[in-house]
Amino acid sequence: MMGLILSRRMRIVLALALLVGLLIFLPMRVALGLAGLERIGVAARAVRGTVWSGRIDQLMLGNMPLGSVRAGLSPVSLLMGRARFDIARTKGLPDDVKGALTVGFGRIGVDDVTGSVPLGRTFAPLPVGSLILEEVSAHFSGERCGHAEGRVRARMAGQFPGLNLSQGLSGTIACDGDALLLPLVSQSGLEKVTLRIWRSGRYVAEMRVETADPTLAATLGQAGFAGIGNAQLLKVEGTL
């Protein structure tokens, strides 16, 4: 019995059909693994669905929980040589978040992120409870910060008598040499939080309070602050 003989054109058509089928039904879990997003600390409890329409349960960026989100690969970004995974949780709740995880040639990071990111004890004993992001984009090129933009507001987790931080501290994200820099300032300008994050996940966070009030200085001292001139400083280092 003679075997089926296919023309060269038909073999090409079948190969392309197989490739298209693989792309259409490629699992999101496999796509995230191929993109290498674990290099910036991306992890999840479970990943479901296809690369075009999936769900990521309990998404984590380092030690920062982003919760469960819908996710899908952007075909437009693929044409630009980038794998952009759009993520969103839009339920009309305070913890809604949307944005993207992006991987390209020599770059990796996040794009257009807006929403609230709870921090828990990520930077403890620094009393920062959450970050409110507004159109934040940041990526690393190799080991250096390549680009950063957007507004960030920090909500404080604790209260100190004599400090009014109910409006939080805010600033514009930027690159500072190799590090990603978040320079946050209160409305009074007397309280500042400076956070630097490197490609490796290492961070240095400082909170500085300008005060000549001995009572406030004593209170801050009990919370771990150290006096430097007319300021109280708390510095924390670690890895996300």
Side-chain angles (χ1 to χ4, degrees), residues 46-68:
V47 181
R48 309 171 187 174
T50 69
V51 67
W52 310 109
S53 179
R55 177 183 173 86
I56 304 175
D57 292 334
Q58 300 304 314
L59 176 64
M60 298 285 293
L61 185 58
N63 291 328
M64 296 180 289
L66 298 179
S68 297

Side-chain angles (χ1 to χ4, degrees), residues 89-196:
R89 182 178 59 254
T90 52
K91 298 182 178 180
L93 299 175
D95 66 344
D96 281 357
V97 65
K98 64 177 181 179
L101 307 171
T102 306
V103 180
F105 295 110
R107 59 166 282 173
I108 188 168
V110 298
D111 283 306
D112 309 317
V113 180
T114 294
S116 176
V117 179
L119 298 178
R121 294 185 55 81
T122 300
F123 299 116
L126 206 69
V128 180
S130 64
L131 295 177
I132 312 300
L133 310 181
E134 299 177 16
E135 294 295 328
V136 168
S137 296
H139 72 255
F140 287 93
S141 297
E143 296 299 318
R144 293 182 58 84
C145 180
H147 175 76
E149 63 178 327
R151 295 281 299 175
V152 179
R153 180 160 58 92
R155 287 180 176 171
M156 309 310 289
Q159 295 184 351
F160 297 97
L163 291 183
N164 182 10
L165 299 176
S166 59
Q167 299 301 313
L169 299 89
S170 61
T172 301
I173 194 171
C175 285
D176 181 26
D178 292 348
L180 184 66
L181 173 65
L182 282 72
L184 310 176
V185 183
S186 67
Q187 285 187 319
S188 69
L190 298 178
E191 299 86 19
K192 300 178 181 179
V193 170
T194 303
L195 174 62
R196 288 179 173 84

